[in-house]
Amino acid sequence: MCGRYATTRSAGDLSAVFEASDDTDGGLRPDHNVAPTDPVPVVRVDPDRGRVLSVGRWGLVPHWATSTAGAARMINARVETVATSRAYAVPFARRRCLVPADGWYEWVRRRDGGKQPYFMTPRDGSVLALAGIWSGRESLTFSVLTTAAVGELAEVHDRMPLLLPADRWADWLAPADDPAALLVPPSPRWLAGLEIRPVGRAVGDVRNDGPGLTERVAVDRERSHEESALF
């Protein structure tokens, strides 16, 4: 998974979808081009309040870190090593979260040397829940788990976020004797509900934002074999 995604729903909408208390204190805004260290919504469990919708910064800062300097390099945690990594093992065992998203971006190299961005998003417009882990108390940070890409998604990139269908949200958030058993990608049938949508190159600049970034664009007929396989 690359380092960009979109999350545009309001705190009220997300609280309703995830059945969570709103703990964002008005700190959410629509973001069509989320980049590392940006503040975005996450859903986690508070021991006293149950599910809460919080604001976290993308890029986990381990509890033992003395600064946040390395956060931008900690945006993704691989499912193959998350249970044994010094930085990720404790959050994975004790502090799992859901990361709401409209979809995520990947880039495919073109024959002419350029790159064509794609936006992976549910065809029905529903919200995605990316599997995440979090750290911190006053300043919450998180990472998104990634796994080997499945099906058509493998033609875009060899990795994808670990996506959690709604019937797996409760298990991901709950304590687990064997959390490694939760690291299973969704079924091919569920993944078939995702659209692989070509979008404009403006998304490549983190300064750009707005709904136009996720809109479908026409792809040049001279695209590479890899791109052709997506349609």
Side-chain angles (χ1 to χ4, degrees):
M1 178 186 172
C2 78
R4 302 288 177 77
Y5 71 96
T7 181
T8 66
R9 287 170 169 81
S10 69
D13 287 345
L14 292 176
S15 294
V17 169
F18 290 96
E19 300 180 341
S21 301
D22 181 7
D23 199 29
T24 63
D25 195 26
L28 286 187
R29 66 175 182 83
D31 195 340
H32 295 82
N33 199 3
V34 177
T37 75
D38 282 352
V40 286
V42 297
V43 177
R44 60 194 180 93
V45 171
D46 180 277
D48 300 319
R49 299 168 57 196
R51 288 189 194 180
V52 295
L53 178 72
S54 304
V55 176
R57 290 192 175 273
W58 189 21
L60 186 138
V61 178
H63 70 279
W64 41 261
T66 57
S67 78
T68 61
R73 298 190 301 272
M74 304 283 284
I75 59 172
N76 295 332
R78 297 173 67 92
V79 299
E80 295 87 348
T81 56
V82 67
T84 56
S85 165
R86 177 173 178 244
Y88 299 133
V90 171
F92 174 58
R94 303 177 185 175
R95 293 187 287 275
R96 295 184 296 279
C97 63
L98 304 172
V99 182
D102 298 357
W104 78 98
Y105 299 98
E106 297 289 1
W107 279 257
V108 172
R109 185 169 295 280
R110 296 169 59 96
R111 184 179 300 166
D112 62 9
K115 291 185 177 180
Q116 171 62 51
Y118 287 85
F119 185 58
M120 276 56 67
T121 187
R123 298 181 191 276
D124 63 3
S126 60
V127 66
L128 288 175
L130 316 182
I133 54 177
W134 65 274
S135 181
R137 292 183 175 84
E138 296 181 3
S139 180
L140 190 152
T141 62
F142 71 96
S143 294
V144 171
L145 272 68
T146 69
T147 188
V150 178
E152 289 187 346
L153 294 174
E155 298 171 5
V156 181
H157 197 279
D158 61 351
R159 305 290 296 180
M160 70 178 195
L162 179 60
L163 304 166
L164 298 173
D167 60 2
R168 293 178 57 189
W169 294 353
D171 287 343
W172 183 257
L173 293 173
D177 294 333
D178 181 20
L182 302 173
L183 300 175
V184 179
S187 69
R189 180 176 180 179
W190 189 90
L191 289 171
L194 296 179
E195 176 188 359
I196 301 174
R197 178 189 302 170
V199 295
R201 297 189 183 186
V203 70
D205 187 335
V206 296
R207 295 170 295 184
N208 293 329
D209 198 357
L213 296 183
T214 63
E215 293 177 358
R216 173 179 284 274
V217 300
V219 176
D220 194 310
R221 291 180 180 275
E222 295 300 317
R223 60 184 178 264
S224 67
H225 170 74
E226 288 81 5
E227 289 179 270
S228 299
L230 300 176
F231 298 91

